[in-house]
Amino acid sequence: MIKVANRDFTRAVNQFNILNRIREAGRISRVEIAEQTGQSRASVTNITAAMIEQGLIREEQSGDKPSRGRRRIMLALNPDAAFVVGVKISELQVSFAVVDFIGDVKSSLIMPIRVSERSEEIVADFIEDGVRHCVKDAKLNMEDIAGCGVAVSGFVDSASGTCLWTPLKEGQSLIRQLLAERLNMDVFLENDANSVTVAAQWFGQGKGVDDFLVVTMEHGVGMGIVVNGNMYRGHNGIGAEFGHVVMVPDGEPCRCGKNGCIESYVSDGAILRRSRAFLSRRRGEKPDLDQLTIEDVTAMAKNGDAGLKKIFREAGTILGQGISGLIQIFNPQKVIIMGEGVRAGDLVYAPMRRAVKKFVNAELYEATEILLQEWHDDDWARGAAGFVLSELYKSPLDCIRRAK
Ligand SMILES: [Zn+2]
């Protein structure tokens, strides 16, 4: 009996390695898989035949024509092998995305709702409607969806799927259970920064990179850490709270209760709050401060308002100081900055780069690539979906619930 179990286990591991190789390569031949995974050609042929039969991968002709003989047969993931849905819950909106097996978005949706002012039951009803709508938009049925990922900011214990703290709600959240009942599928709850980090690792700029950091910029400043190819979650499984590292002793008040945190200078909310305070002190004509948005302030600074530019510049310098510390500690291959805050462009990121160059030792600086990732409205939801996909890839292949 044990022997059989071992054989099954070995096969599952081999399958996982092959699937991973195909995912990372995009397209790859059987011979290359055998070389790169150390498995025998017979084993690769055997396992990939079963995967083709299951509809997880498919054969494609290689694009480049060899000097003689036939085009090589390559293997690629079948995008239609499975579909998942991702949901990101923010303070004033919920966004949705249905993605396929290779992480491409099939449909997406953003619905405004004041989440913190509604009960969790109402939020769950609302999300159920959004998911059903989005699935229909992708021309799929609910039965075609293999799972749902939900991303929130705050302290999430992803192993148990419980949310220990979120700015959206006081006390422990039951949103995962409420959604699992309504959607009748597996629902995964994860911290938003961690889920976009997993998505980057599996489908984005972190593909094939063993050590990288993600810094997310929106209402808060979040972070994901990948070390030796694994997500680092810390002792409590809560993960990195980069936004609440104190940079300025007795500085600006932060919503976490401390003063001078990175977030209290760098987040959208902080920049908006500081801009309002600045404009309210200014004489002469000024915009309606109550109606002022982060987009307005960004546009005014880009148009040359020197006082507002200074607020962005300070944000960039403090962010750069924080990232310098991370680079000194982790020696990452890449630091990927993403999120709505990326829209500020050079206003924040030119001073950030100057600060990093100044504060990081030259050798480390040279070895680190800092990337600003262009941001799309559905990227948070896509990240939440990516987290479910990564779980799917790790599960035994015959457990993947395939679309019919
Ligand atoms: Zn704080």
Side-chain angles (χ1 to χ4, degrees), residues 55-287:
L56 295 174
I57 59 172
R58 62 187 185 192
E59 288 186 331
E60 288 179 5
Q61 296 263 319
S62 130
D64 47 294
K65 205 170 186 177
S67 50
R68 58 202 164 98
R70 289 182 301 163
R71 282 176 196 273
R72 286 193 304 161
I73 301 292
M74 309 294 274
L75 296 173
L77 296 177
N78 176 10
D80 296 337
F83 298 93
V84 300
V85 59
V87 179
K88 153 81 173 180
I89 308 178
S90 305
E91 205 178 325
L92 298 175
Q93 68 182 36
V94 179
S95 52
F96 305 82
V98 170
V99 311
D100 64 18
F101 199 50
I102 56 172
D104 283 348
V105 175
K106 307 305 287 180
S107 67
S108 65
L109 177 69
I110 293 177
M111 295 167 86
I113 175 175
R114 290 179 181 275
V115 171
S116 53
E117 294 168 17
R118 305 273 180 266
S119 73
E120 282 208 295
E121 281 78 10
I122 290 178
V123 173
D125 286 343
F126 184 86
I127 292 175
E128 181 191 354
D129 289 348
V131 168
R132 289 184 187 279
H133 190 101
C134 211
V135 168
K136 201 174 159 196
D137 245 16
K139 301 192 168 51
L140 295 166
N141 298 313
M142 289 298 281
E143 299 75 46
D144 300 332
I145 304 297
C148 173
V150 178
V152 292
S153 61
F155 300 160
V156 179
D157 182 348
S158 64
S160 67
T162 49
C163 185
L164 306 170
W165 177 81
T166 166
L168 307 176
K169 187 191 176 296
E170 279 182 32
Q172 202 159 332
S173 165
L174 293 172
I175 196 74
R176 191 184 72 86
Q177 293 86 322
L178 293 172
L179 284 175
E181 285 163 16
R182 283 164 175 76
L183 298 173
N184 190 30
M185 63 175 72
D186 286 338
V187 176
F188 300 83
L189 189 68
E190 177 57 287
N191 168 272
D192 50 5
N194 282 352
S195 46
V196 289
T197 303
V198 172
Q201 186 182 18
W202 287 74
F203 307 105
Q205 308 255 29
K207 214 154 87 166
V209 182
D210 278 344
D211 301 285
F212 71 93
L213 307 174
V214 168
V215 175
T216 61
M217 310 275 295
E218 48 138 29
H219 302 298
V221 177
M223 183 184 179
I225 303 170
V226 173
V227 177
N228 285 335
N230 292 309
M231 181 78 118
Y232 176 80
R233 291 175 191 280
H235 173 59
N236 287 339
I238 288 169
E241 282 295 327
F242 177 57
H244 298 287
V245 173
V246 173
M247 282 292 155
V248 183
D250 304 315
E252 294 277 327
C254 183
R255 58 180 178 161
C256 74
K258 298 186 296 191
N259 285 75
C261 295
I262 290 179
E263 198 169 296
S264 65
Y265 290 86
V266 171
S267 71
D268 280 358
I271 289 175
L272 187 57
R273 190 189 67 237
R274 300 189 76 212
S275 300
R276 277 195 182 122
F278 166 74
L279 291 170
S280 74
R281 290 193 301 270
R282 189 145 81 180
R283 287 171 203 209
E285 203 186 327
K286 48 186 117 179

